[in-house]
């Protein structure tokens, strides 16, 4: 079905097609019995892909990256497509419109996207309401600061998100690496990052005691554009502060090797051109931390081989976004099936045996 719809969607403006698709997914997620039926058809049954991390169960290492379902409007459907977990957001304390349109561009010849969305979202109140209830898979909230919040007060925004969502989310991702909010990336410098992560962890502990929920994972998402020295310092800051893990990586400002006419558009690039760089960062962080800090690899995952390479580089989990736009909703199931085949090829009995073998 998606193969037939894709040419029609790609004739529309990219953001218009996105909103149309999200509305359809949201409606489908409320059709009685449909999500459960899809889940029965797509959820991995072989325990070879299942893992337990941070006290959470993941039936598959494949997750949905932040940015697609910013406002948790279609979690009912996405959580039943074969994903092991979902990341919603980025959410800011107050609703904001984001940057001016157009701000989302497809680059089909490069199998990539460029976006300069600017954290457009409906705010914490809406997200909190939509995340109430039980989830078919773990759902993490990707949190950021409002555009008009000074960096000196940024911790207040991140703490507000944890305060509002601790009772309904299954984990948090601190986003300090989007290139589309002015000054945001300065927060990933080692000193500022350590202070921010520590403040968020303090609030999380406060909310754990208040809600009596288990301790939730707090991960940090870093940029692929950091040089080697700064990247090492940021990873060290995250580890010293006591964060639960890393997500590597966010979108890039690099335009190396692109051929599409939209390559000069301002914004963060995602998709195939990011595959190698993000995998290299996973391997670098895995080596630096000695494999003691769980890593989520994201960037250019289109095939099971792409996902497997990140896992072998040191990622325990892998996320997709851009590939879903190009490949359609059958992607997570296809990746799960492919990963099982790759495990058999290598004589491995469980996905955890592959984590970090190339690092």
């Amino acid at each position: 079905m998606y193969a037939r719809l894709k040419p029609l969607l790609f004739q529309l403006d990219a953001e218009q097609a996105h909103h149309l698709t999200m509305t359809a997914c949201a409606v489908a997620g409320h059709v009685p019995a449909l999500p459960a039926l899809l889940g029965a058809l797509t959820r991995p049954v072989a325990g070879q892909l299942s893992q337990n991390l941070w006290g959470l169960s993941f039936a598959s290492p494949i997750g949905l990256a932040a940015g697609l379902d910013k406002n948790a409007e279609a979690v009912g459907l996405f959580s039943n497509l074969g994903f092991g977990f979902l990341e919603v957001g980025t959410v800011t304390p107050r609703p904001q419109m984001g940057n001016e349109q157009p701000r989302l561009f497809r680059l089909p010849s490069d199998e990539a996207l460029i976006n300069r969305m600017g954290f457009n979202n409906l705010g914490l109140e809406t997200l909190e309401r939509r995340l109430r209830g039980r989830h078919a898979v773990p759902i993490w909230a990707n949190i950021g600061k409002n555009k008009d919040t000074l960096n000196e007060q940024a911790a207040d925004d991140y703490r507000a998100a944890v305060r509002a969502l601790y009772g309904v989310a299954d984990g948090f991702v601190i986003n300090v690496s989007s290139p589309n909010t002015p000054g945001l990336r300065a927060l990933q410098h080692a000193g500022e990052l350590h202070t921010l992560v520590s403040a968020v962890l303090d609030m999380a502990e406060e909310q754990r005691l208040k809600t009596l929920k288990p301790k939730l994972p707090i991960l940090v998402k870093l940029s692929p554009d950091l040089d080697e020295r700064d990247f090492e310092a940021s990873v060290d800051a995250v580890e010293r502060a006591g964060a639960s893990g890393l997500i590597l990586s966010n979108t890039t400002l690099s335009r190396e090797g692109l051929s599409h006419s939209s390559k000069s558009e301002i914004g963060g690039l995602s998709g195939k051109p990011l595959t190698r760089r993000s995998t290299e960062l996973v391997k670098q962080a895995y080596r630096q931390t000695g494999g003691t800090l769980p890593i989520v690899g994201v960037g250019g995952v289109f095939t099971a081989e792409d996902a497997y390479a990140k896992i072998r580089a040191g990622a325990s989990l892998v996320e997709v976004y851009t590939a879903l736009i190009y490949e359609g909703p059958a992607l997570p199931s296809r990746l799960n099936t492919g990963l099982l085949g790759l495990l058999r090829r290598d004589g491995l009995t469980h996905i955890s045996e592959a984590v970090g073998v190339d690092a």
Side-chain angles (χ1 to χ4, degrees):
M1 183 184 294
Y2 188 73
R4 296 177 179 178
L5 287 175
K6 181 180 172 182
L8 299 176
L9 290 172
F10 272 50
Q11 289 180 19
L12 301 174
D13 167 77
E15 187 169 355
Q16 183 182 5
H18 170 79
H19 289 308
L20 180 63
T21 302
M22 290 302 301
T23 299
C25 290
V27 171
H30 288 93
V31 174
L34 179 60
L37 175 62
L38 287 173
L41 294 172
T42 62
R43 192 169 295 117
V45 293
Q48 291 171 281
L49 297 182
S50 64
Q51 297 176 86
N52 190 289
L53 297 165
W54 312 291
L56 300 173
S57 295
F58 299 86
S60 162
I62 305 299
L64 178 66
L68 188 68
D69 194 356
K70 290 177 177 291
N71 300 300
E73 59 183 308
V75 292
L77 183 72
F78 286 135
S79 59
N80 287 285
L81 289 182
F83 287 116
F85 65 106
L86 308 177
E87 190 178 337
V88 298
T90 298
V91 63
T92 56
R94 290 171 284 110
Q96 60 181 27
M97 296 295 293
N99 296 322
E100 292 184 4
Q101 300 184 28
R103 54 190 180 182
L104 180 63
F105 307 89
R106 306 184 197 94
L107 287 69
S109 60
D110 300 305
E111 293 182 282
L113 297 173
I114 291 176
N115 91 83
R116 50 174 180 264
M117 304 299 287
F119 288 175
N120 58 308
N121 73 101
L122 298 178
L124 286 174
E125 185 177 339
T126 296
L127 193 67
E128 189 276 336
R129 185 176 67 253
R130 290 179 176 175
L131 289 183
R132 293 174 190 169
R134 299 185 63 182
H135 308 146
V137 299
I139 299 181
W140 297 343
N142 184 296
I143 56 178
K145 76 177 187 70
N146 280 108
K147 184 177 181 179
D148 59 0
T149 299
L150 299 176
N151 279 9
E152 291 77 12
Q153 282 81 51
D156 294 337
D157 279 12
Y158 290 90
R159 285 166 58 86
V162 173
R163 184 187 303 112
L165 301 176
Y166 200 94
V168 296
D170 298 304
F172 294 92
V173 178
I174 300 173
N175 188 348
V176 288
S177 49
S178 170
N180 300 318
T181 296
L184 183 72
R185 284 185 165 191
L187 293 174
Q188 65 187 332
H189 296 159
E192 290 84 349
L193 186 56
H194 183 277
T195 300
L196 175 62
V197 173
S198 297
V200 172
L201 290 172
D202 287 345
M203 175 56 70
E205 177 62 12
E206 180 182 315
Q207 293 305 304
R208 183 188 71 81
L209 295 173
K210 182 177 180 179
T211 62
L212 300 180
K213 283 191 67 173
K215 182 178 180 179
L216 300 184
I218 310 289
L219 293 87
V220 180
K221 191 169 189 175
L222 295 178
S223 165
D225 299 330
L226 292 167
D227 62 34
E228 185 172 352
R229 194 169 178 177
D230 287 340
F231 179 77
E232 182 177 330
S234 293
V235 170
D236 180 65
V238 169
E239 189 174 27
R240 284 189 295 106
S244 309
L246 289 163
I247 297 189
L248 302 171
S249 61
N250 213 319
T251 56
T252 180
L253 294 176
S254 171
R255 298 294 186 264
E256 183 178 356
L258 298 183
S259 61
H260 194 270
S261 59
S262 295
K263 64 183 179 181
S264 60
E265 292 290 346
I266 295 171
L269 173 75
S270 62
K272 272 291 186 183
L274 196 53
T275 305
R276 181 178 297 180
R277 173 60 176 163
S278 60
T279 303
E280 289 173 352
L281 291 177
V282 169
K283 185 180 293 186
Q284 183 178 337
Y286 186 87
R287 287 174 172 168
Q288 181 178 333
T289 62
T292 60
L293 194 64
I295 298 169
V296 181
V298 56
V301 175
F302 278 68
T303 66
E305 288 77 13
D306 294 333
Y308 196 51
K310 282 182 168 49
I311 291 168
R312 290 178 64 95
S316 296
L317 303 171
V318 176
E319 291 181 336
V320 300
Y321 176 175
T322 301
L324 200 64
I325 307 302
Y326 285 98
E327 302 294 324
L331 176 67
S333 289
R334 190 160 64 245
L335 294 179
N336 289 330
T337 301
L339 284 174
L340 289 172
L342 291 167
L343 289 179
R344 287 194 297 269
R345 182 199 70 184
D346 291 347
L348 303 177
T349 60
H350 193 269
I351 194 69
S352 61
E353 298 173 28
V355 176
V357 297
D358 290 340

